[in-house]
Amino acid sequence: MKYVLWLSLACSCGIACTALAPFDPGLLDGGGGGEGEGEGDGCGTFRCPPLTTCENGVCVSADPCAGIQCEDPLICSAGSCVNPLVDEDHDGYPALSDCDDTDDEIKPGSTAECSSDCGTGTVTCVEGAWTACTAPSDCSCEAGQERPEACGNCGTAVRACGSDGKWESTVGACEGEGECSPGASELTECGGACARQARTCAEDCTWGEYGPCEGQSECEPAATDTQVCGNCGDQTRTCTDQCLWSAFGDCTGEGSCVAATIEGRACGNCGTESRTCGTDCEWGSWGLCAAGACSPGEIGTEPCGNCGTRSRTCGGDCNWGAWGGCTGEGLCTPGATDDDPCGNCGTKTRTCGASCAWGAFGACTGEGACAPGATDDDGCGNCGTKTRTCGASCAWGSFGSCTGEGVCTPNAIDEDSCGDCGTKTRTCNASCAWGSFGACEDEGVCTPGADDDAPCGNCGTKWRTCNASCAWGNYGSCGGQGVCAPGADDDAPCGNCGTKWRTCNANCTWGNYGSCDGQGECSANATQPCENGCGSQTCSASCQWGACSADCSCYRASLPDPTGCVGDWQETDCGCGVFQYWECTSSCVWVSDCGTCAACCREF
């Protein structure tokens, strides 16, 4: 058997297939790929590591030892529990030290190529398992730098860093190897076919001395042992020339069905017939056709398995369909007992109850609480881990300190103040790390202690202060006011019943008065003589002259008239060729006399 290794031997069930690093000659070159690999299934030319197979581009486990637990001191090899000292491939190394005890070309110290994105490396079979790939995972380096890599049996290969600052894709030759693989055991015959003496490879890859010759007889060489498997099949193992049992071989001679299984089919006119799988796991003959076994659509049920129920449906041909799967089963058969190893080689027993459920295991007898050297991890704190170790007395030691903790407990909520009396929260995630704070909520309208002013009155200001609850307090009184409201007008009397105006400016102070408008002809209560010299007139409250205080029909001039009249005068043709002169008397009354000028100009 040969294999091809992946770039990392950590590939396991559920990890996508990636590039392969085949190697040769004759160590682990994979042949034609694992079972189930090929075109059209997502695998292409990809190969998976030993004991896995590629399915739809994913490496899944194909280890025949998966799920098998062997009692001490047995180990699993090729799917069977065997003595750890058996050497089935006769390569001189027992199953305990061999990475594949069915292939004599694979032994402790066998190496194989592997690769990473940075180049090729090697893996080595050490103490029954393949080591990790030596190829670097970080491709960057300093030009001229050298990287030693373990290889073979305590050997060292050197990888150089290129001028491009990347590791060379290949590594140098493996040098300085020892004669064996550290921890490997080698057996040789001594004192008879069933006796062996062993030597162990030291950490410096040199063989130690052979130990004493000891018998290891489990069986007579060439004897065989058979056990039942599958559907009435059997598998056989053979006693090796080392007097140790080999692994069981393949299951052969299986029948075509599971004993007691019943299979039905339609027959005749709305009939059915059935057959039963016999104790030899082969189908018996079909029974008689029973017409009209049921009503179409009818569902029949019956008990099955361990307290379970199965159902079947009557088809349109009046035959029962096949029984469905047994559902609702318990885990065991009532009255059955189950033994299980426990503690340090102890045994505990449980009994199946009437409901097909296992009862609780009884106490573990004959052993301590644990196996010496075993470790136990437990969750602690915030996503942390604590570890304890089983001591030589099979009792657990104390747990160590809690490591790897996060900063919080999953689903815990943390609040913090924000903004103006607001609150923001964050939640601890499943990894025990705080998520981001959410938005700030329930904020107030202002910052405590902040002041806010607003205009008031005539260019005044009123103030309010934000309280501890982020709410504004009441405004105080209006201070610093001016004498007027901007844009307001103000008038004042002036002159002779006139008016002057002024306007309030933006600073709430009065501007200067304008000119005096709308004056009257005199000053209120002022007096003056009438124009005709007859009486006087007084200025009213509206600054207009009143009427003369005497009834004057004429105006007495202050100067004599050229006619010789003292006062005002006029002449009128009397119609008789004689002019009559009229004179304004000192009492401002006209008098007339149709006479001569001298006659009418006399003083009255």
Side-chain angles (χ1 to χ4, degrees), residues 119-209:
T120 60
T122 60
V123 292
T124 305
C125 180
V126 177
E127 296 189 73
W130 292 101
T131 62
C133 186
T134 62
S137 57
D138 183 359
C139 301
S140 60
C141 56
E142 294 184 8
Q145 181 182 357
E146 292 185 341
R147 181 180 188 269
E149 297 178 6
C151 60
N153 295 329
C154 300
T156 302
V158 176
R159 187 186 304 272
C161 183
S163 59
D164 60 351
K166 303 290 184 182
W167 290 112
E168 296 291 344
S169 61
T170 57
V171 68
C174 188
E175 298 179 350
E177 287 192 83
E179 57 186 356
C180 56
S181 176
S185 295
E186 184 179 46
L187 301 176
T188 185
E189 293 185 10
C190 63
C194 294
R196 296 286 187 275
Q197 57 183 166
R199 63 177 179 175
T200 303
C201 188
E203 290 299 320
D204 61 356
C205 293
T206 59
W207 285 114
E209 298 294 329

Side-chain angles (χ1 to χ4, degrees), residues 438-482:
C440 192
E441 299 180 346
D442 300 326
E443 288 191 79
V445 297
C446 55
T447 302
D451 291 324
D452 176 47
D453 61 332
C456 60
N458 296 332
C459 300
T461 303
K462 57 183 179 180
W463 292 85
R464 60 180 178 177
T465 301
C466 190
N467 59 33
S469 300
C470 296
W472 288 113
N474 294 325
Y475 278 109
S477 59
C478 188
Q481 294 192 69

Side-chain angles (χ1 to χ4, degrees), residues 572 574 578-583 591-602 604:
T572 302
C574 296
V578 176
F579 288 93
Q580 182 179 11
Y581 294 93
W582 295 81
E583 179 183 15
V591 296
S592 63
D593 182 10
C594 286
T596 64
C597 178
C600 68
C601 288
R602 62 186 182 277
F604 289 91

Side-chain angles (χ1 to χ4, degrees), residues 492-501 513-520 543:
C494 62
N496 296 331
C497 299
T499 303
K500 57 183 177 181
W501 293 87
Y513 278 110
S515 60
C516 190
D517 297 327
Q519 293 191 67
C543 297

Side-chain angles (χ1 to χ4, degrees), residues 201-469:
C201 188
E203 290 299 320
D204 61 356
C205 293
T206 59
W207 285 114
E209 298 294 329
Y210 277 106
C213 186
E214 297 179 347
Q216 54 180 17
S217 178
E218 284 185 335
C219 53
E220 290 294 328
T224 59
D225 178 35
T226 303
Q227 68 177 12
V228 177
C229 61
N231 294 336
C232 302
D234 56 58
Q235 54 188 168
T236 303
R237 63 180 177 176
T238 303
C239 187
T240 68
D241 56 4
Q242 305 148 37
C243 301
L244 300 174
W245 287 113
S246 68
F248 278 103
D250 295 334
C251 189
T252 61
E254 288 191 82
S256 58
C257 56
V258 179
T261 300
I262 299 175
E263 180 180 47
R265 68 181 181 184
C267 64
N269 184 19
C270 202
T272 58
E273 60 184 1
S274 63
R275 61 179 180 177
T276 303
C277 188
T279 56
D280 59 353
C281 296
E282 296 295 341
W283 287 111
S285 301
W286 289 102
L288 296 175
C289 184
C294 57
S295 300
E298 179 183 354
I299 297 177
T301 60
E302 70 173 12
C304 61
N306 296 329
C307 305
T309 303
R310 63 178 182 176
S311 63
R312 59 181 179 177
T313 303
C314 189
D317 59 357
C318 301
N319 285 320
W320 286 111
W323 286 106
C326 192
T327 61
E329 284 192 87
L331 301 175
C332 53
T333 303
T337 59
D338 177 40
D339 293 333
D340 198 31
C342 62
N344 187 15
C345 301
T347 302
K348 56 184 178 182
T349 303
R350 59 181 179 177
T351 302
C352 190
S355 61
C356 298
W358 288 112
F361 275 109
C364 187
T365 60
E367 282 298 320
C370 53
T375 58
D376 177 41
D377 293 333
D378 194 16
C380 59
N382 296 330
C383 304
T385 303
K386 58 184 178 181
T387 302
R388 61 180 179 177
T389 302
C390 189
S393 61
C394 297
W396 289 113
S398 299
F399 276 109
S401 59
C402 192
T403 62
E405 287 192 82
V407 297
C408 56
T409 302
N411 299 320
I413 295 177
D414 177 39
E415 291 188 354
D416 195 11
S417 58
C418 59
D420 295 331
C421 301
T423 302
K424 58 183 179 182
T425 62
R426 59 180 179 177
T427 302
C428 189
N429 59 32
S431 301
C432 297
W434 287 115
S436 299
F437 275 108
C440 192
E441 299 180 346
D442 300 326
E443 288 191 79
V445 297
C446 55
T447 302
D451 291 324
D452 176 47
D453 61 332
C456 60
N458 296 332
C459 300
T461 303
K462 57 183 179 180
W463 292 85
R464 60 180 178 177
T465 301
C466 190
N467 59 33
S469 300

